[in-house]
Amino acid sequence: MAKENIYFAKRYSGYIKPIEADKSTDIWLIPFIRPADVREYHPDFKTSNYEEMMKTVLENIDLDENKNNILVAHQFVTSNGKSPELSESETVFLGTLDNIDYSVFKRFDYVALGHIHKPQSMGRKTIRYAGSPLKYSFSEVNHNKSVCIIETNKKEISYKKIPLTPLKDLKEFRGSFEDMLTL
């Protein structure tokens, strides 16, 4: 599918190779990984801490700091211990072992994150959860869904949010059963 410019983050194999978007921009795809995935390829990595795991993964990539570097990841990223705003349909983990602080990604110019349904930044404007394209639970009824268009120009990255408007929006009504029948 790469011939059609469609890429997937493959299972972690101890090495991540960038996709060269153009001469000035590399895109790095990291699949959802767990510490056990990293221990398989980095025998000195002994902990079960996700933040330490991600540091190990990122220390073992050959990042060209003269280029724009965009990272796409599906991990749970927080900002100085503050979690992203979650929706009721998202799984909440007990404890903080799977948290990765945004500061781990300081070498990247833009970090595109997945899984969390509300579009939001973590720690800095260029580390963003994309959010889901549609509302999947009543806790998302007031979310403004969007998609980010990332633009690169030499060593600069900018983005603009494009609002997504569904054909049928999610609405919440409260009242008796009889009241609902009259809507």
Side-chain angles (χ1 to χ4, degrees):
M1 295 185 82
K3 290 178 186 178
E4 301 298 326
N5 287 323
I6 299 172
Y7 299 91
F8 295 93
K10 299 176 184 172
R11 183 179 182 276
Y12 183 68
S13 63
Y15 176 76
I16 299 170
K17 182 180 174 189
I19 299 162
E20 187 176 70
D22 58 42
K23 295 291 182 196
S24 66
T25 304
D26 284 340
I27 300 173
W28 302 83
L29 304 179
I30 297 181
F32 177 76
I33 50 178
R34 294 180 174 88
D37 302 323
V38 174
R39 278 194 291 276
E40 182 178 346
Y41 298 98
H42 304 283
D44 292 340
F45 179 73
K46 304 286 187 207
T47 181
S48 293
N49 181 282
Y50 278 67
E51 187 168 318
E52 293 303 317
M53 169 205 68
M54 187 58 68
K55 287 178 184 176
T56 298
V57 168
L58 298 179
E59 286 168 0
N60 287 284
I61 66 170
D62 190 21
L63 189 118
D64 182 348
E65 302 217 13
N66 294 314
K67 290 184 165 188
N68 292 309
N69 288 285
I70 298 171
L71 176 71
V72 179
H74 200 83
Q75 301 294 142
F76 190 69
V77 176
T78 58
S79 175
N80 299 315
K82 183 180 178 234
S83 293
E85 187 178 325
L86 301 176
S87 302
E88 64 190 19
S89 61
E90 295 162 338
T91 303
V92 178
F93 297 97
L94 298 174
T96 58
L97 193 62
D98 57 341
N99 294 2
I100 299 171
D101 191 72
Y102 81 98
S103 60
V104 170
F105 306 107
K106 64 183 171 249
R107 294 173 56 204
F108 291 90
D109 301 292
Y110 190 93
V111 180
L113 300 168
H115 185 70
I116 303 302
H117 291 199
K118 182 177 182 179
Q120 58 194 293
S121 296
M122 290 309 297
R124 67 175 210 242
K125 288 183 179 186
T126 55
I127 298 179
R128 296 191 52 77
Y129 283 103
S132 60
L134 297 171
K135 299 172 183 179
Y136 293 107
S137 69
F138 287 116
S139 64
E140 298 177 51
V141 74
N142 293 318
H143 285 189
N144 294 314
K145 301 299 184 170
S146 62
V147 65
C148 281
I149 305 297
I150 302 168
E151 296 177 349
T152 61
N153 182 12
K154 296 184 183 173
K155 190 61 179 129
E156 293 182 23
I157 288 187
S158 62
Y159 70 90
K160 58 183 173 183
K161 291 191 292 185
I162 308 298
L164 296 175
T165 306
L167 294 175
K168 304 271 186 197
D169 201 5
L170 178 66
K171 295 180 181 180
E172 180 178 20
F173 298 97
R174 294 181 182 261
S176 68
F177 183 71
E178 290 78 23
D179 291 342
M180 296 301 111
L181 291 175
T182 62
L183 291 178

